[in-house]
Coordinates of all heavy atoms in Angstrom, one line a residue:
G1 N 130.0 -150.0 -155.3 CA 131.1 -149.4 -154.5 C 130.6 -149.1 -153.1 O 129.5 -149.3 -152.7
F2 N 131.6 -148.6 -152.3 CA 131.3 -148.2 -150.9 C 131.6 -146.7 -150.7 O 132.5 -146.2 -151.3 CB 132.1 -149.1 -150.0 CG 131.9 -150.5 -150.1 CD1 133.0 -151.3 -150.7 CD2 130.8 -151.2 -149.7 CE1 132.8 -152.7 -150.8 CE2 130.6 -152.5 -149.9 CZ 131.6 -153.3 -150.4
D3 N 130.8 -146.1 -149.8 CA 131.1 -144.8 -149.4 C 132.4 -144.7 -148.6 O 133.1 -143.8 -148.7 CB 129.9 -144.2 -148.6 CG 128.6 -144.1 -149.4 OD1 128.6 -143.4 -150.4 OD2 127.7 -144.8 -149.0
A4 N 132.6 -145.8 -147.8 CA 133.8 -145.9 -147.0 C 134.0 -147.3 -146.6 O 133.1 -148.1 -146.5 CB 133.7 -145.0 -145.8
A5 N 135.3 -147.6 -146.4 CA 135.7 -148.9 -145.8 C 136.2 -148.6 -144.5 O 137.2 -147.8 -144.3 CB 136.8 -149.6 -146.7
I6 N 135.6 -149.2 -143.4 CA 135.9 -148.8 -142.1 C 136.8 -149.9 -141.4 O 136.3 -151.0 -141.3 CB 134.6 -148.6 -141.3 CG1 133.7 -147.6 -142.0 CG2 135.0 -148.0 -139.9 CD1 132.3 -147.4 -141.4
F7 N 138.0 -149.5 -141.0 CA 138.9 -150.4 -140.3 C 139.0 -150.1 -138.8 O 139.3 -148.9 -138.5 CB 140.3 -150.3 -140.9 CG 141.3 -151.1 -140.3 CD1 141.5 -152.5 -140.6 CD2 142.2 -150.6 -139.3 CE1 142.4 -153.3 -139.9 CE2 143.2 -151.3 -138.7 CZ 143.3 -152.7 -139.0
A8 N 138.6 -151.0 -138.0 CA 138.7 -150.8 -136.5 C 140.0 -151.3 -136.1 O 140.3 -152.5 -136.1 CB 137.5 -151.6 -135.8
D9 N 140.8 -150.3 -135.6 CA 142.2 -150.6 -135.2 C 142.3 -150.8 -133.7 O 142.0 -149.9 -132.9 CB 143.1 -149.4 -135.6 CG 144.5 -149.6 -135.4 OD1 144.9 -150.7 -134.9 OD2 145.3 -148.7 -135.7
T10 N 142.7 -152.0 -133.3 CA 142.9 -152.3 -131.9 C 144.1 -151.7 -131.3 O 144.3 -151.7 -130.1 CB 143.0 -153.8 -131.6 OG1 144.2 -154.3 -132.2 CG2 141.7 -154.6 -132.2
G11 N 145.0 -151.2 -132.2 CA 146.3 -150.7 -131.7 C 147.3 -151.7 -131.5 O 148.5 -151.4 -131.2
W12 N 147.0 -153.0 -131.8 CA 147.9 -154.1 -131.6 C 147.8 -155.1 -132.8 O 147.8 -156.3 -132.6 CB 147.6 -154.8 -130.3 CG 148.8 -155.6 -129.8 CD1 150.1 -155.5 -130.1 CD2 148.7 -156.7 -128.8 NE1 150.8 -156.4 -129.4 CE2 150.0 -157.2 -128.6 CE3 147.6 -157.3 -128.1 CZ2 150.2 -158.2 -127.7 CZ3 147.9 -158.3 -127.2 CH2 149.2 -158.8 -127.0
E13 N 147.7 -154.5 -134.0 CA 147.6 -155.4 -135.2 C 149.0 -155.8 -135.6 O 150.0 -155.0 -135.4 CB 146.9 -154.6 -136.3 CG 145.5 -154.1 -136.0 CD 144.5 -155.1 -135.7 OE1 144.5 -156.2 -136.3 OE2 143.6 -154.9 -134.8
P14 N 149.1 -156.9 -136.3 CA 150.5 -157.2 -136.8 C 151.0 -156.2 -137.8 O 150.2 -155.6 -138.5 CB 150.2 -158.6 -137.5 CG 149.0 -159.1 -136.9 CD 148.1 -157.9 -136.6
T15 N 152.3 -156.1 -137.9 CA 152.9 -155.1 -138.8 C 152.4 -155.4 -140.2 O 152.2 -154.4 -141.0 CB 154.4 -155.2 -138.7 OG1 154.9 -154.9 -137.4 CG2 155.1 -154.2 -139.7
A16 N 152.3 -156.6 -140.6 CA 151.9 -157.0 -142.0 C 150.5 -156.4 -142.3 O 150.2 -156.1 -143.4 CB 151.9 -158.5 -142.2
V17 N 149.6 -156.4 -141.3 CA 148.2 -155.9 -141.5 C 148.3 -154.4 -141.7 O 147.6 -153.9 -142.6 CB 147.3 -156.2 -140.3 CG1 146.0 -155.5 -140.3 CG2 147.1 -157.7 -140.2
Y18 N 149.0 -153.7 -140.9 CA 149.1 -152.2 -141.1 C 149.8 -151.9 -142.5 O 149.3 -151.0 -143.2 CB 150.0 -151.6 -140.1 CG 149.3 -151.5 -138.7 CD1 149.9 -152.1 -137.6 CD2 148.1 -150.8 -138.5 CE1 149.2 -152.1 -136.4 CE2 147.5 -150.8 -137.3 CZ 148.1 -151.4 -136.2 OH 147.4 -151.4 -135.0
R19 N 150.7 -152.7 -142.9 CA 151.4 -152.5 -144.2 C 150.4 -152.7 -145.3 O 150.3 -152.0 -146.3 CB 152.6 -153.4 -144.3 CG 153.4 -153.1 -145.6 CD 154.8 -153.7 -145.5 NE 154.8 -155.1 -145.1 CZ 155.3 -155.6 -143.9 NH1 155.9 -154.8 -143.1 NH2 155.2 -156.9 -143.7
H20 N 149.6 -153.8 -145.2 CA 148.6 -154.2 -146.2 C 147.5 -153.1 -146.2 O 147.0 -152.8 -147.3 CB 148.0 -155.5 -145.8 CG 147.0 -156.0 -146.8 ND1 147.2 -156.3 -148.1 CD2 145.7 -156.3 -146.6 CE1 146.1 -156.7 -148.7 NE2 145.2 -156.7 -147.8
L21 N 147.1 -152.6 -145.1 CA 146.1 -151.6 -145.0 C 146.5 -150.3 -145.8 O 145.7 -149.7 -146.5 CB 145.8 -151.2 -143.6 CG 144.6 -150.2 -143.3 CD1 143.3 -150.7 -143.9 CD2 144.5 -149.9 -141.8
D22 N 147.8 -149.9 -145.6 CA 148.3 -148.8 -146.4 C 148.2 -149.0 -147.9 O 147.8 -148.1 -148.7 CB 149.7 -148.5 -146.0 CG 149.9 -148.0 -144.6 OD1 148.9 -147.4 -144.1 OD2 151.0 -148.1 -144.1
R23 N 148.5 -150.3 -148.3 CA 148.4 -150.6 -149.7 C 146.9 -150.5 -150.2 O 146.6 -150.0 -151.3 CB 148.9 -152.0 -149.9 CG 148.8 -152.5 -151.4 CD 149.6 -153.8 -151.6 NE 149.2 -154.9 -150.6 CZ 149.7 -156.1 -150.7 NH1 150.6 -156.4 -151.6 NH2 149.3 -157.0 -149.8
L24 N 146.0 -151.1 -149.4 CA 144.6 -151.0 -149.7 C 144.0 -149.6 -149.8 O 143.2 -149.3 -150.6 CB 143.8 -151.8 -148.7 CG 144.0 -153.3 -148.6 CD1 143.0 -154.0 -147.6 CD2 143.7 -153.9 -150.0
T25 N 144.6 -148.7 -148.9 CA 144.1 -147.3 -148.9 C 144.4 -146.7 -150.3 O 143.6 -146.0 -150.8 CB 144.8 -146.6 -147.8 OG1 144.4 -147.2 -146.5 CG2 144.4 -145.1 -147.8
G26 N 145.6 -147.0 -150.8 CA 145.9 -146.5 -152.2 C 144.9 -147.0 -153.2 O 144.5 -146.2 -154.1
I27 N 144.7 -148.3 -153.2 CA 143.7 -148.9 -154.2 C 142.3 -148.3 -154.0 O 141.7 -148.0 -155.0 CB 143.7 -150.4 -153.9 CG1 145.0 -151.1 -154.3 CG2 142.6 -151.1 -154.8 CD1 145.1 -152.6 -153.9
A28 N 141.9 -148.1 -152.8 CA 140.6 -147.6 -152.6 C 140.4 -146.1 -153.0 O 139.4 -145.7 -153.6 CB 140.2 -147.7 -151.1
Q29 N 141.5 -145.3 -152.7 CA 141.4 -143.9 -153.1 C 141.3 -143.8 -154.6 O 140.6 -142.9 -155.1 CB 142.7 -143.2 -152.6 CG 142.6 -143.0 -151.1 CD 143.9 -142.3 -150.5 OE1 144.9 -142.4 -151.2 NE2 143.9 -141.8 -149.3
T30 N 142.0 -144.6 -155.3 CA 141.9 -144.5 -156.8 C 140.5 -144.8 -157.3 O 140.1 -144.2 -158.3 CB 142.8 -145.6 -157.4 OG1 144.2 -145.3 -157.0 CG2 142.8 -145.6 -158.9
A31 N 139.7 -145.6 -156.5 CA 138.3 -145.9 -156.9 C 137.3 -145.0 -156.2 O 136.1 -145.2 -156.3 CB 138.0 -147.4 -156.5
G32 N 137.8 -144.0 -155.5 CA 136.9 -143.1 -154.8 C 136.3 -143.6 -153.5 O 135.2 -143.1 -153.1
I33 N 136.9 -144.6 -152.9 CA 136.4 -145.2 -151.7 C 137.3 -144.7 -150.5 O 138.5 -144.8 -150.6 CB 136.4 -146.7 -151.7 CG1 135.6 -147.2 -152.9 CG2 136.0 -147.3 -150.4 CD1 135.7 -148.7 -153.1
D34 N 136.7 -144.1 -149.5 CA 137.4 -143.6 -148.4 C 137.7 -144.7 -147.4 O 136.8 -145.5 -147.0 CB 136.5 -142.5 -147.7 CG 137.2 -141.7 -146.6 OD1 138.5 -141.8 -146.6 OD2 136.6 -141.1 -145.8
V35 N 139.0 -144.9 -147.0 CA 139.3 -145.8 -146.0 C 139.5 -145.1 -144.7 O 140.3 -144.2 -144.6 CB 140.6 -146.6 -146.3 CG1 141.1 -147.5 -145.2 CG2 140.4 -147.5 -147.6
V36 N 138.7 -145.5 -143.7 CA 138.7 -144.8 -142.4 C 139.2 -145.7 -141.3 O 138.8 -146.9 -141.2 CB 137.3 -144.3 -142.1 CG1 137.2 -143.5 -140.8 CG2 136.7 -143.5 -143.2
R37 N 140.1 -145.2 -140.5 CA 140.5 -146.0 -139.3 C 139.9 -145.4 -138.1 O 140.0 -144.2 -137.8 CB 142.1 -145.9 -139.2 CG 142.8 -146.4 -140.4 CD 144.3 -146.5 -140.2 NE 145.0 -146.7 -141.5 CZ 146.3 -147.1 -141.6 NH1 146.9 -147.4 -140.5 NH2 146.9 -147.3 -142.7
V38 N 139.2 -146.3 -137.3 CA 138.6 -145.9 -136.1 C 139.1 -146.8 -135.0 O 139.8 -147.8 -135.2 CB 137.0 -146.0 -136.2 CG1 136.5 -145.1 -137.3 CG2 136.6 -147.5 -136.5
G39 N 138.9 -146.5 -133.7 CA 139.4 -147.3 -132.6 C 138.8 -146.9 -131.3 O 138.2 -145.8 -131.1
A40 N 139.0 -147.8 -130.3 CA 138.5 -147.5 -129.0 C 139.7 -147.5 -128.0 O 139.5 -147.7 -126.8 CB 137.5 -148.6 -128.6
G41 N 140.9 -147.4 -128.5 CA 142.1 -147.4 -127.7 C 143.1 -148.4 -128.1 O 142.9 -149.1 -129.1
D42 N 144.1 -148.6 -127.3 CA 145.2 -149.6 -127.5 C 144.9 -150.8 -126.7 O 145.0 -150.7 -125.4 CB 146.5 -149.0 -127.2 CG 147.7 -149.9 -127.6 OD1 147.6 -151.1 -127.3 OD2 148.7 -149.4 -128.0
I43 N 144.5 -151.9 -127.3 CA 144.0 -153.1 -126.5 C 145.1 -153.6 -125.6 O 144.9 -154.1 -124.5 CB 143.5 -154.2 -127.5 CG1 142.7 -155.2 -126.7 CG2 144.5 -154.8 -128.3 CD1 142.0 -156.2 -127.5
R44 N 146.4 -153.6 -126.1 CA 147.5 -154.1 -125.3 C 147.8 -153.2 -124.1 O 147.9 -153.7 -123.0 CB 148.7 -154.3 -126.2 CG 149.9 -154.9 -125.4 CD 151.1 -155.1 -126.4 NE 152.2 -155.7 -125.7 CZ 153.1 -155.1 -125.0 NH1 153.1 -153.8 -124.8 NH2 154.1 -155.8 -124.4
A45 N 147.8 -151.9 -124.4 CA 148.1 -151.0 -123.3 C 146.9 -151.1 -122.2 O 147.2 -151.0 -121.0 CB 148.2 -149.6 -123.8
D46 N 145.7 -151.2 -122.7 CA 144.6 -151.3 -121.8 C 144.6 -152.5 -121.0 O 144.3 -152.5 -119.8 CB 143.3 -151.2 -122.6 CG 143.0 -149.9 -123.2 OD1 143.7 -148.9 -122.9 OD2 142.1 -149.8 -124.1
A47 N 145.1 -153.6 -121.6 CA 145.2 -154.9 -120.9 C 146.2 -154.8 -119.7 O 146.1 -155.5 -118.7 CB 145.5 -156.0 -121.8
L48 N 147.3 -154.0 -119.9 CA 148.3 -153.9 -118.9 C 148.1 -152.8 -117.9 O 148.9 -152.7 -116.9 CB 149.7 -153.7 -119.7 CG 150.1 -154.8 -120.6 CD1 151.4 -154.3 -121.4 CD2 150.4 -156.1 -119.9

C-alpha cells in the first residue's frame, strides 16, 4: 500500500478526470490510503 496518493492539480484538468479522482478517493479511503491534491496555481489563469 501507499501512505498517500498525491495528485498534482493544474486547475485545468478535464471534468472527467476530476470526476474519476473523486471516485478513486472513495476507493483509496476504504483501503486506508490518503488521496492528497496539491498544486502550484491555475495553469490556464496563469497563462492568460
Side-chain angles (χ1 to χ4, degrees):
F2 302 110
D3 299 297
I6 308 173
F7 177 81
D9 188 357
T10 65
W12 200 22
E13 306 294 326
T15 300
V17 169
Y18 288 120
R19 187 164 51 242
H20 181 62
L21 183 62
D22 289 339
R23 177 171 55 175
L24 292 182
T25 299
I27 294 171
Q29 286 177 342
T30 301
I33 301 172
D34 190 17
V35 173
V36 184
R37 303 189 191 198
V38 298
D42 185 320
I43 192 171
R44 182 176 184 274
D46 292 346
L48 296 173

